[in-house]
Amino acid sequence: MTKDTQEIKAPRVLFFGKNNCQYSQKILEHLIHLGFDVESILSTNRQEQLPEDIGWWQGDYIICFRSYFLIPKSLLDRAQIAAINFHPAPTEYPGSGCLNWALYGNAEIYGVTAHIMNEKIDNGQIVECRRFPILPQDNVKTLLGRAHLKTCDLAIDITTGLALEGKTFLEKKLNESENEKWVGNARKMYEIDKLQTINLDCSKEELERVIRATYTPDFPPEIHLHGYKFSLNL
């Protein structure tokens, strides 16, 4: 190497994913395959705290996929090019419980979104939103499965573009999505808990909507009566 030759360093990525998630693992492996210098942090639950020593990190990109961590602005600012989150819902559904609200509202279209992260949840500029139909027979399990798969596909495509074109690719995607805007405020998990609590005077139609929108074997809808909880068994 001559003194006129400069060493080209791989872009540094801080990847936030989810433990025991096949898609998080696939994206992590893809980032490494693309030649990024990757530091990864995988979360297990919502109560988990960020590692204390993460404040040292500084690099080019933060990539977030299905992570439970709330990433502070002080860390987001350490990504010199961009911090990008992959949200398993379209821009019409920011926050938590996205597909639950889509199913409850009998929506016909769902989707997934890549967006720039800021100090607010699901609030930053849209990089890309991809939409797909909700089928009449869809429930929480089937729609969630498709959303995770399509969010993974979006993450693979966006990170590939970043590896090939860097900031130029990102600016192009932001320009293409300039008309995409978030709709409403980010939903909270307690709102889903409330939706799952069935009123005793609930109509059959409303009950069926709640079941379709919220039922999973691990977290079924409930009736609360005189201090007791009765869980739905399908």
Side-chain angles (χ1 to χ4, degrees), residues 116-154:
I116 302 298
M117 302 175 73
N118 58 26
E119 65 274 17
K120 297 181 180 180
I121 295 174
D122 299 337
N123 178 265
Q125 284 181 283
I126 307 302
V127 179
E128 184 176 349
C129 183
R130 294 180 181 176
R131 293 178 173 83
F132 56 89
I134 297 177
L135 306 176
Q137 63 270 33
D138 268 329
N139 54 33
V140 172
K141 180 180 179 180
T142 59
L143 187 56
L144 185 62
R146 291 215 311 289
H148 285 166
L149 174 60
K150 291 182 181 295
T151 310
C152 179
D153 290 343
L154 179 59

Side-chain angles (χ1 to χ4, degrees), residues 58-81:
Q58 189 163 347
D60 300 282
Y61 301 100
I62 291 175
I63 301 295
C64 188
F65 179 91
R66 295 197 68 198
S67 175
Y68 288 122
F69 289 122
L70 295 178
I71 305 174
K73 187 177 185 299
S74 59
L75 182 53
L76 296 176
D77 289 343
R78 288 180 168 270
Q80 295 179 5
I81 299 178

